[in-house]
Amino acid sequence: MNALISSYNNSMEKVDLASGWLTPTLARLVFISVLLVYYWNSAMLKIDGSIFSPSAGAFGQIFPKAAEAVLYDVTQMTFFQRIVIFFGTVAEFVLPALLLVGLLTRLAALGMIGFVWVQTLVDVNGHGVKLGGLFDNAVTLMDQRVMWTFLFLVIAINGAGPISLDRVLRLK
């Protein structure tokens, strides 16, 4: 029995040694494989020719009730709505790109956490999606967004890992 425990402890010590670089690397890999294209496609739907020209889709995604009230006529957007759409679209392009290359990774991960919860508020209040709850034996929007937040927290806490521009530039 002592040999089994010793073997287990030796194996787990190796895992512990690797966790410093493996955990953030795998977290970024999971983000890249699961959410990068999701966010990139969402951002692409928000532009109409250029980043400075928001589409009716952007208006409808970010301000659904206001867009519906004016029949998705982008000329009816207020200055405030245009600014929010612009910065939201830029964030949806830039933050995932920073995570992809591992540059300013912790800051980008924190930005993505904020983005996810603003997105969630818009989904619930603007689009009428049911939020659901945790520990209710059903996979809901809340469960999905908490998982995404946890993924970004792992990156924010641990950094980008060894395969990143942060490492090359010696950024923490």
Side-chain angles (χ1 to χ4, degrees), residues 47-126:
I47 60 174
D48 191 17
S50 98
I51 192 81
F52 300 105
S53 179
S55 69
F59 194 19
Q61 282 180 3
I62 299 174
F63 296 102
K65 292 177 182 174
E68 190 173 312
V70 296
L71 302 173
Y72 299 89
D73 180 2
V74 295
T75 64
Q76 300 297 312
M77 279 190 272
T78 66
F79 178 73
F80 172 75
Q81 290 167 333
R82 286 183 181 279
I83 292 296
V84 169
I85 290 169
F86 174 76
F87 283 111
T89 303
V90 168
E92 212 164 15
F93 278 121
V94 171
L95 294 174
L98 289 173
L99 288 169
L100 173 67
V101 298
L103 179 62
L104 303 173
T105 309
R106 290 179 168 166
L107 185 61
L110 291 173
M112 286 302 301
I113 290 170
F115 193 94
V116 163
W117 289 102
V118 168
Q119 174 187 5
T120 302
L121 287 171
V122 170
D123 287 345
V124 171
N125 296 320

Side-chain angles (χ1 to χ4, degrees), residues 1-63:
M1 185 65 157
N2 284 341
L4 183 61
I5 291 171
S6 179
S7 176
Y8 173 80
N9 285 340
N10 288 336
S11 298
M12 291 306 106
E13 283 177 19
K14 290 176 184 169
V15 170
D16 286 344
L17 289 173
S19 70
W21 64 269
L22 187 60
T23 303
T25 302
L26 289 176
R28 282 185 48 234
L29 181 63
V30 168
F31 165 74
I32 292 163
S33 64
V34 176
L35 293 174
L36 180 71
V37 173
Y38 167 83
Y39 278 110
W40 193 265
N41 286 338
S42 178
M44 291 298 289
L45 290 173
K46 291 180 176 71
I47 60 174
D48 191 17
S50 98
I51 192 81
F52 300 105
S53 179
S55 69
F59 194 19
Q61 282 180 3
I62 299 174
F63 296 102

Side-chain angles (χ1 to χ4, degrees), residues 122-141:
V122 170
D123 287 345
V124 171
N125 296 320
H127 296 286
V129 177
K130 295 205 182 301
L131 183 60
L134 296 173
F135 312 111
D136 61 0
N137 201 28
V139 178
T140 62
L141 185 66

